[in-house]
Amino acid sequence: MKNRLRNNLLPSMMLACSVGLASTAQAGGTINFGEDKWVSLGFGIRTAFTSTEDAAPNEHSRSKDFDLDIARIYLSASLNQYIKGTVTLDKMGEDSLKVIDAYGRLEFMPEFNIWFGLLLPPSDRVNMDGHFFMNGWSFPGVVSQYQNKQTGRDNGILFWGKLLDKRLVYSAGIYEGNQASAFAGNNALDPNRRDSLMYAGRLQYDFWEADLDPGFYTSSVYFGKDVLSLGLSGRYQKDAVGSVFAKDDYLGYNVDFLLEKVLPGGVLDIEAAAYRYDFDNDAVLAGADINGISRVQAGKAYLGVVSWMFPQTVGWGKFQPYTRYQKFSADGNASLDVREYDIGLNYIIDGHNARISGVYTKNKTENQDSYDKFVVGLQLQF
């Protein structure tokens, strides 16, 4: 069987970074109990057939697997105009059902709000999209690798708002962090000796249409809007990488760009992002587990996505071909160079609430054999 180090290293990052937030679900139902008192319920599923090169038990045939990728239940409630709450239950793959969101929301005005609990820290656009609101099928875990507690979330407090006619979206938060070392929580070897917290922030400016997403969240495709958006995100935590013997600060940041334009022949989407994960090579090595796998990689990463949705309705929906490119350029010998290419076709039935996707992926990882896979997936939200 081909070397699958990447399958041990990056899927955990993909799963950890994947989000599909209760607040952003475009489907669901609401029960009202009076003025500003309500409870909303929704759910989403993503299921797929995957065939991966040389992944069958005989180690040279293609695997053939039907999987439930995600099953998610969205719950939100409002006590009054200002006090709300959100809980999200999630099952990914063979994992058991678990709570991934549980936070209170003090929502004073569009310009200033406070959320606290288990929630998503400010991040790059694709991470804040999550699986359900991306322009593509699989989460781009080659490039989006911010540390997190589970499924992209962490325990902390978030301040966010929308200014300048809601074109400028800001978010800043303080979180537990401390997920960048295999020795986190080990009193003897944890590099974060002073239990320093993680700081995260994002600024986003929408030049054309604005306020298309609830809260501080994002999407990477709107299926027929004029969007020009630029975002800048970053996270920092003192002494969070490595071990007590060799450590470094956690510092990751990125810039992302999205253009969507309605043209006479269809809808064009262009998405791009650049990342920097700035860690010392010795610290990355020192923070690896007993198998030599580190929770972080040092280097630069790049993302590019282009799609075109045809205007004609064929049957229930519209066709949207797309291509995506990811590249991770490692710093030092503690990390690996990775390139991944996607060519896909989405069949858009009801925006993010109903779509069918087919995608061919080719992965090339340093010092490993390349491999390809083919996925056909169904996404539904209710």
Side-chain angles (χ1 to χ4, degrees):
M1 178 179 289
K2 294 190 175 183
N3 190 326
R4 292 299 187 212
L5 176 58
R6 179 198 176 266
N7 279 4
N8 293 327
L9 181 67
L10 285 180
S12 60
M13 297 177 182
M14 294 181 186
L15 296 181
C17 295
S18 66
V19 294
L21 299 154
S23 304
T24 61
Q26 296 181 356
T30 301
I31 301 174
N32 293 295
F33 298 98
E35 186 176 0
D36 296 317
K37 295 181 185 292
W38 48 261
V39 174
S40 70
L41 171 66
F43 68 90
I45 59 173
R46 301 182 98 234
T47 183
F49 171 79
T50 303
S51 177
T52 304
E53 182 183 7
D54 295 345
N58 65 13
E59 301 185 356
H60 58 77
S61 298
R62 299 188 70 88
S63 65
K64 305 169 188 68
D65 300 303
F66 287 96
D67 295 299
L68 175 64
D69 291 350
I70 300 175
R72 191 161 290 177
I73 300 173
Y74 312 115
L75 299 166
S76 289
S78 174
L79 184 63
N80 57 41
Q81 182 180 354
Y82 305 106
I83 303 175
K84 301 175 177 65
T86 292
V87 173
T88 308
L89 305 176
D90 178 270
K91 175 178 171 58
M92 300 190 73
E94 298 300 320
D95 293 345
S96 59
L97 187 69
K98 62 183 178 182
V99 176
I100 60 169
D101 287 310
Y103 55 93
R105 297 152 49 189
L106 303 181
E107 301 187 342
F108 304 105
M109 61 188 75
E111 294 81 7
F112 182 71
N113 304 274
I114 303 174
W115 294 357
F116 52 92
L118 176 61
L119 72 163
L120 180 73
S123 189
D124 55 316
R125 176 177 287 272
V126 293
N127 199 21
M128 296 178 63
D129 295 345
H131 284 84
F132 286 93
F133 299 91
M134 297 184 304
N135 193 6
W137 180 256
S138 62
F139 185 82
V142 172
V143 297
S144 184
Q145 300 183 15
Y146 284 117
Q147 69 161 331
N148 59 92
K149 180 180 177 63
Q150 63 166 24
T151 325
R153 279 71 165 180
D154 205 342
N155 292 307
I157 185 169
L158 169 74
F159 306 90
W160 71 271
K162 298 182 178 182
L163 308 173
L164 304 179
D165 293 329
K166 300 185 178 181
R167 296 186 180 279
L168 178 64
V169 184
Y170 75 87
S171 55
I174 306 171
Y175 297 83
E176 282 287 323
N178 213 32
Q179 301 295 321
S181 169
F183 301 106
N186 184 317
N187 288 335
L189 298 175
D190 192 333
N192 191 356
R193 309 305 296 169
R194 297 187 178 184
D195 200 20
S196 300
L197 296 171
M198 182 183 75
Y199 302 91
R202 176 178 174 84
L203 286 174
Q204 176 181 311
Y205 192 84
D206 299 321
F207 294 87
W208 297 345
E209 294 189 51
D211 198 29
L212 296 177
D213 297 292
F216 74 115
Y217 302 123
T218 63
S219 301
S220 282
V221 58
Y222 296 93
F223 308 111
K225 302 290 184 179
D226 287 330
V227 177
L228 181 62
S229 181
L230 184 66
L232 176 66
S233 308
R235 296 185 186 181
Y236 173 81
Q237 186 170 22
K238 179 73 172 176
D239 293 338
V241 180
S243 72
V244 69
F245 302 108
K247 57 187 177 181
D248 194 12
D249 299 343
Y250 182 96
L251 177 61
Y253 52 91
N254 79 280
V255 59
D256 50 69
F257 165 87
L258 177 68
L259 180 147
E260 178 167 308
K261 183 65 178 177
V262 180
L263 298 172
V267 180
L268 172 68
D269 280 271
I270 300 174
E271 182 178 9
Y275 300 77
R276 179 74 169 108
Y277 301 100
D278 193 2
F279 320 126
D280 179 74
N281 185 71
D282 291 338
V284 174
L285 288 171
D289 63 19
I290 59 174
N291 297 313
I293 297 176
S294 176
R295 294 185 181 181
V296 296
Q297 294 191 92
K300 303 179 182 69
Y302 307 93
L303 170 73
V305 186
V306 178
S307 71
W308 179 269
M309 188 174 74
F310 291 99
Q312 297 84 6
T313 299
V314 180
W316 291 349
K318 299 178 180 180
F319 286 104
Q320 182 198 48
Y322 74 92
T323 184
R324 183 174 74 182
Y325 173 71
Q326 300 179 72
K327 178 182 179 181
F328 188 92
S329 297
D331 291 343
N333 62 352
S335 308
L336 299 175
D337 292 340
V338 183
R339 294 187 182 188
E340 189 165 287
Y341 313 82
D342 290 341
I343 299 176
L345 178 65
N346 297 322
Y347 183 58
I348 308 301
I349 301 169
D350 183 14
H352 295 293
N353 292 331
R355 75 175 190 185
I356 300 171
S357 298
V359 57
Y360 172 83
T361 300
K362 184 73 172 183
N363 179 279
K364 298 181 179 180
T365 300
E366 182 183 8
N367 299 328
Q368 300 177 28
D369 294 325
S370 63
Y371 71 92
D372 66 77
K373 65 179 179 180
F374 179 73
V375 178
V376 177
L378 170 67
Q379 172 173 305
L380 299 172
Q381 293 191 96
F382 300 91

